[in-house]
Amino acid sequence: MPSAPRFLRLDDLLLPPALSAAAAIALLFGLFELGLGLSRRLRGREWEPLDGAAGLILVTGLVGALVHGAACAELASLPWLRALAAGVGLFGAASLVRLPARSRDLRAAAERWWQGTNGWERLLVALLALIVLSLALAALGPATDADSLDYHLGVPLDWLRHGGAYPRPDWFHARLVGDGEGLDLLGLAAGSDCFGAVLQLAGLAVAAVTACSLHANARARLLAALLVLATPLILSLVPAQKPMLLPAAATLLSLALLARRRERLDRTTILFALAGAAFAAGCKYSFLMSGALVLATTLWLAARERRFAAASAILLLLLFTLPIYLRNYLFYGDPLSPFLERLRPHPDPALLLFASYLRDYGGVRSLTQLVSLPWTFSFFRPPTGALGIGFLAALGAPWRDRRFWPLLVPGAALFFILAGTAQLTPRFFLEPYLWIASALPASRWRPFAVLSPLLGLQASLVAGGALYVMAQSVAGLPSRAARERLLDRVAPGATEARWLDESLQPSDVVIAPTRSRLLLPRPFLVTDEIEDTGSAREEEERLSALVRRTGATVLVMPDPVGPEVPTALREAAARAEPIGQPRSFETAVRTPLIPIERFSLRLYRLAPTPQRAGD
């Protein structure tokens, strides 16, 4: 009898840490080189650096959509993806070779600027350079945040094991992946788990360059750079594989191109603007609203080329966006799963609760909370979860300056839409912040005289945080052993996964109470659909069906089993045979602000469940 195929683990794919980082850099520069060449060909003599950024967004969106489409067609084989990654990486190597020559003009311009500035401005630039350099190194470290270890990387790895996408009704977060996770899938095939973070770093750079390009005055450009690069939120976004910064930068770039060229809007600019909107909408549900606003703004401004704009929008949406929502409709019967679940004749209570959790994660809305959003997002969040004082200063944006209306009007509209529909957390308001903050340096509001010193203070705090994040991440780069030590300290579920690998049989299928599915060493099932159904009997029936369908053999439970565990799992543990003794662990934390706690886990061997007809 042939043996079962070996379970593909993350460590089976990853290169040694330093080479993993080099692979991510090569992929990024490959996308940049392809985008640069495409933008030069499309723009011709009118090309400018901002077009290079737009080319990067367009090519990145095309590659992400290609990989996601291949996964949906069950064509995401490891050899094919490695061939694609190698091709992109070769372009990246060529780009890195040309980098010194290309940076000469930039170095000369920087030297001229440095000679014409005062000490305060030089200090601010030094702080910004420190932030960017520190976050660049932090992005090269291994993935350690909870969402990346769950579905941003966990779902792509699961698809890679099966040669493509397939329904996971037990894993609710699997419904949320898009083109951004397609890019993460390409990174995994190339042997890197940090490619997504490198892309977020690129998004930060694109956002800063775009904001600066809207202003001719050197001091205004410095203020624009501060408003982007000194935002505390970037400390948590850049080192993660979460597709947030690059899509947000894409929509900012789209509106900035429209604002800069509204009097001479050509077809290439329209294409670039629409590509940014379509790419963002294909990455995450929350970008559907901002993408729609960018699309509407483009169609409004492209009066002379409205037919071309409409045709381009349809094509790009078909390429970048539609496949994600068609996949969810075919897999789960809901293109926006779980958000349309309540419209079904018999909605699933577990999915309804999941939708409420996603929508209300930042707290249930109240009038007081909504009115205080500018204040709370500016100051009263943890340092890595705040947008900073620029969010409060946005109230003084140059609303009367018609040049910035393509940024300010959609930005204000998006803020109010998000306030009524999205999570009330700072990262979901990053786009309206970037759109409006990019116009702020043009404001002549008198209180802005104190904005630069306040942003300088904020930049110094962000620089300190960036140094801490960098030191933490680079500790995992020297070797595989160093990477494992780092994961044990800061990655939730890493130590528990190693214990499971030592304790389980090769043929086991595990039910584990962890979100770090990326690190699990055996096939697993997720119990999302049995939690909070409101009926203990229904939970029991769902768990039995899951166990029969997946062949689960081992249950991992906290010891002692507390009331927070679903009733069906508690009863399953009571019926099962304990394996060995409980094992004690410490919580992994990424910041010293979070106290370390101890907890225990225990393994249980599940009795074989007879297969029923119809399962």
Side-chain angles (χ1 to χ4, degrees):
M1 182 176 178
S3 59
R6 187 168 181 267
F7 183 71
L8 183 67
R9 308 184 195 186
L10 178 64
D11 288 343
D12 298 329
L13 293 172
L14 293 185
L15 296 167
L19 292 179
S20 174
I25 294 172
L27 285 175
L28 173 63
F29 275 89
L31 295 174
F32 170 73
E33 187 70 19
L34 290 167
L36 189 65
L38 178 61
S39 66
R40 288 186 184 277
R41 181 175 293 274
L42 291 174
R43 285 287 288 171
R45 295 181 179 180
E46 296 183 333
W47 186 91
E48 59 179 341
L50 212 58
D51 293 306
L56 170 65
I57 297 295
L58 177 57
V59 169
T60 301
L62 287 171
V63 171
L66 174 64
V67 176
H68 176 268
C72 290
E74 298 184 354
L75 298 175
S77 66
L78 191 55
W80 180 85
L81 288 172
R82 282 177 170 168
L84 175 62
V88 175
L90 287 175
F91 279 97
S95 181
L96 287 167
V97 169
R98 298 179 184 138
L99 190 60
R102 287 174 173 170
S103 61
R104 287 173 188 165
D105 292 342
L106 181 62
R107 291 200 303 270
E111 290 173 0
R112 290 194 299 270
W113 180 88
W114 188 265
Q115 293 171 0
T117 56
N118 57 40
W120 171 247
E121 292 169 340
R122 292 179 182 180
L123 175 61
L124 293 179
V125 170
L127 284 173
L128 294 181
L130 180 61
I131 291 170
V132 172
L133 178 60
S134 299
L135 290 179
L137 293 173
L140 301 179
T144 58
D145 65 288
D147 283 349
S148 296
L149 298 178
D150 181 5
Y151 67 103
H152 293 309
L153 288 174
V155 171
L157 178 58
D158 199 45
W159 287 1
L160 201 54
R161 294 181 183 118
H162 293 81
Y166 70 106
R168 285 295 304 252
D170 61 319
W171 192 354
F172 286 174
H173 279 89
R175 304 159 192 253
L176 307 181
V177 303
D179 288 339
E181 283 74 21
L183 293 163
D184 287 338
L185 175 57
L186 181 65
L188 288 176
S192 174
D193 63 342
C194 66
F195 180 47
V198 170
L199 287 175
Q200 300 321 297
L201 177 71
L204 181 65
V206 169
V209 169
T210 302
C212 292
S213 73
L214 292 167
H215 308 280
N217 181 276
R219 290 184 176 177
R221 289 185 174 184
L222 177 56
L223 182 57
L226 279 167
L227 287 165
V228 175
L229 297 176
T231 304
L233 185 64
I234 65 175
L235 295 177
S236 60
L237 288 185
V238 170
Q241 320 304 310
K242 187 188 300 292
M244 288 288 293
L245 263 176
L246 188 60
T251 58
L252 170 64
L253 177 60
S254 296
L255 294 177
L257 287 171
L258 295 174
R260 284 167 53 91
R261 301 172 183 172
R262 60 182 301 182
E263 301 300 331
R264 49 185 180 86
L265 204 55
D266 59 279
R267 290 190 171 188
T268 300
T269 300
I270 293 171
L271 178 66
F272 285 159
L274 293 172
F279 168 64
C283 283
K284 205 172 183 67
Y285 287 170
S286 59
F287 290 113
L288 279 173
M289 293 171 282
S290 58
L293 286 171
V294 173
L295 173 61
T297 304
T298 306
L299 293 176
W300 173 53
L301 293 175
R304 298 176 184 175
E305 297 285 353
R306 189 156 294 170
R307 184 174 299 176
F308 171 81
S312 300
I314 292 171
L315 177 61
L316 289 167
L317 291 172
L318 287 174
L319 286 173
F320 291 179
T321 308
L322 181 63
I324 287 88
Y325 303 97
L326 180 61
R327 179 205 73 209
N328 275 355
Y329 177 75
L330 295 176
F331 284 179
Y332 311 112
D334 176 359
L336 292 175
S337 183
F339 293 109
L340 301 183
E341 183 67 22
R342 66 182 63 255
L343 302 180
R344 290 173 176 270
H346 304 286
D348 185 335
L351 275 173
L352 291 178
L353 191 69
F354 181 58
S356 298
Y357 161 78
L358 293 175
R359 185 176 58 252
D360 299 329
Y361 183 77
V364 180
R365 285 165 182 77
S366 67
L367 181 60
T368 302
Q369 186 181 30
L370 292 174
V371 170
S372 64
L373 280 183
W375 186 259
T376 56
F377 282 5
S378 299
F379 298 107
F380 293 154
R381 293 276 172 172
T384 56
L387 288 166
I389 59 173
F391 192 84
L392 184 62
L395 297 173
W399 299 100
R400 295 182 180 180
D401 194 332
R402 296 174 64 92
R403 295 175 301 163
F404 296 102
W405 280 6
L407 287 153
L408 296 176
V409 174
L414 183 58
F415 173 83
F416 287 109
I417 291 172
L418 293 175
T421 61
Q423 289 182 17
L424 298 181
T425 53
R427 65 186 177 92
F428 278 85
F429 288 76
L430 178 63
E431 282 183 291
Y433 168 75
L434 289 176
W435 297 359
I436 296 174
S438 296
L440 276 179
S443 177
R444 297 180 181 180
W445 195 35
R446 286 189 177 182
F448 271 26
V450 300
L451 184 58
S452 179
L454 289 176
L455 283 173
L457 175 61
Q458 181 174 291
S460 65
L461 297 175
V462 173
L467 285 171
Y468 175 80
V469 173
M470 177 201 69
Q472 186 179 84
S473 294
V474 299
L477 289 179
S479 65
R480 292 185 187 273
R483 180 180 183 275
E484 289 184 1
R485 289 194 296 270
L486 173 64
L487 292 179
D488 285 342
R489 290 199 311 272
V490 303
T495 307
E496 299 94 295
R498 193 171 299 112
W499 168 64
L500 289 176
D501 193 26
E502 297 168 354
S503 305
L504 299 179
Q505 299 175 9
S507 59
D508 279 330
V509 177
V510 66
I511 306 174
T514 177
R515 288 194 63 202
S516 301
R517 281 116 197 182
L518 177 73
L519 305 177
L520 287 175
R522 298 290 187 277
F524 59 90
L525 66 89
V526 183
T527 59
D528 286 347
E529 60 182 322
I530 73 163
E531 298 183 14
D532 301 302
T533 63
S535 167
R537 180 178 179 181
E538 185 174 357
E539 288 180 10
E540 178 67 28
E541 291 176 351
R542 291 189 180 196
L543 178 61
S544 298
L546 266 174
V547 171
R548 284 192 296 270
R549 189 167 68 241
T550 60
T553 57
V554 171
L555 177 63
V556 186
M557 295 291 285
D559 187 78
V561 179
E564 72 281 359
V565 177
T567 303
L569 291 176
R570 292 203 304 270
E571 293 180 353
R575 295 191 301 266
E577 177 186 355
I579 304 174
Q581 297 298 316
R583 171 73 180 271
S584 180
F585 300 92
E586 290 185 347
T587 54
V589 296
R590 303 173 70 204
T591 168
L593 299 176
I594 301 175
I596 297 176
E597 300 178 355
R598 296 195 66 85
F599 64 96
S600 295
L601 296 176
R602 189 165 193 171
L603 302 179
Y604 296 86
R605 176 72 57 184
L606 296 172
T609 304
Q611 187 75 19
R612 292 192 316 187
D615 284 337

